[in-house]
Amino acid sequence: DTAVSQTPKYLVTQMGNDKSIKCEQNLGHDTMYWYKQDSKKFLKIMFSYNNKELIINETVPNRFSPKSPDKAHLNLHINSLELGDSAVYFCASSPRRDYGYTFGSGTRLTVV
Amino acid sequence: GEDVEQSLFLSVREGDSSVINCTYTDSSSTYLYWYKQEPGAGLQLLTYIFSNMDMKQDQRLTVLLNKKDKHLSLRIADTQTGDSAIYFCAEIRRDDKLVFGAGTILRVKS
């Protein structure tokens, strides 16, 4: 019954690897997001998709590539992982762009 | 400034009221939000206020909005140990981005 689900919950990987984080929402929302929370708990938006179309693309290294196969899914692929990519990544969705977001429980990525 | 600002830490005794303050930046923000994050967990939407309101009450939570000063506060009445968490205020900016403050760590002592 989870509204916004992310997998995996934990991801430990070596520098230089490529990894993906998946996100799915069953709320029927049109807009989905990826946020990064750093070690100081600061949350920053990375990407936003509205009905499979990219609408927000913050200054994020191009090693990060979001993909939205349909409006219920927004995956995040990261190439050539670096130590600084270690963080918690949150997926979220909302029914429209100016409305409250529902967040997933996060994916803790640790790059070693 | 461009940052949504919050005090970093608040400690209260169980049963007291907690007040968490926030200063936001975009006067055109239509909605302002309070999120709660418990240790190791995701973000839970606690409450929100529409920009044409001054106050919103929801059980133990009271949100006050001062648009002139761009000041938002969250009051938690009868604070319980289960309220210990990080509280984030957030605004939707005119570019449709939800921008968060740095979070306030609330510690409730029994």
Side-chain angles (χ1 to χ4, degrees):
Chain A
D1 269 34
T2 306
V4 179
S5 59
Q6 297 178 226
T7 53
K9 193 169 171 63
Y10 299 97
L11 183 54
V12 181
T13 188
Q14 290 190 324
M15 272 173 43
N17 283 351
D18 303 338
K19 290 291 176 189
S20 292
I21 307 172
K22 295 188 175 181
C23 179
E24 176 182 3
Q25 54 98 2
N26 62 5
L27 298 165
H29 289 170
D30 283 341
T31 311
M32 295 186 72
Y33 311 84
W34 278 108
Y35 274 78
K36 180 181 180 180
Q37 186 174 43
D38 64 23
S39 57
K40 294 184 179 171
K41 305 296 184 186
F42 187 71
L43 281 149
K44 190 164 166 50
I45 190 166
M46 299 173 71
F47 301 104
S48 169
Y49 269 73
N50 181 263
N51 217 354
K52 300 195 298 174
E53 183 186 340
L54 180 65
I55 54 172
I56 292 174
N57 185 353
E58 283 296 276
T59 311
V60 176
N62 58 14
R63 298 181 294 104
F64 289 78
S65 53
K67 292 228 173 12
S68 182
D70 55 60
K71 77 173 195 176
H73 295 84
L74 180 61
N75 303 322
L76 183 65
H77 188 75
I78 316 169
N79 287 329
S80 303
L81 277 153
E82 300 177 357
L83 293 176
D85 298 331
S86 296
V88 181
Y89 292 84
F90 286 100
C91 177
S93 71
S94 68
R96 59 175 205 250
R97 285 178 269 177
D98 63 347
Y99 203 67
Y101 299 7
T102 302
F103 281 82
S105 55
T107 296
R108 182 174 292 278
L109 172 65
T110 304
V111 182
V112 296
Chain B
E2 290 195 0
D3 294 339
V4 176
E5 296 186 350
Q6 299 180 235
S7 49
L8 287 182
F9 186 76
L10 176 65
S11 180
V12 300
R13 291 200 178 278
E14 195 173 16
D16 287 352
S17 292
S18 307
V19 179
I20 302 171
N21 294 304
C22 170
T23 303
Y24 62 97
T25 66
D26 190 343
S27 57
S28 68
S29 293
T30 49
Y31 289 94
L32 296 141
Y33 303 89
W34 284 103
Y35 280 84
K36 176 183 180 184
Q37 186 178 30
E38 296 182 19
L43 290 138
Q44 173 197 352
L45 177 62
L46 265 185
T47 187
Y48 64 92
I49 188 165
F50 191 52
S51 58
N52 68 355
M53 299 168 67
D54 297 325
M55 185 181 91
K56 179 179 177 182
Q57 187 146 4
D58 184 0
Q59 298 182 338
R60 293 190 296 120
L61 305 179
T62 303
V63 179
L64 294 178
L65 175 60
N66 179 332
K67 280 194 73 172
K68 175 176 163 292
D69 295 335
K70 295 186 207 152
H71 185 262
L72 182 72
S73 68
L74 173 70
R75 179 177 179 270
I76 306 172
D78 186 24
T79 314
Q80 303 296 306
T81 53
D83 295 325
S84 293
I86 304 176
Y87 290 81
F88 294 92
C89 72
E91 61 173 342
I92 293 274
R93 293 193 175 163
R94 66 192 74 198
D95 56 4
D96 289 339
K97 290 176 193 168
L98 182 67
V99 176
F100 287 85
T104 299
I105 299 170
L106 174 64
R107 179 182 162 218
V108 183
K109 296 179 283 190
S110 55

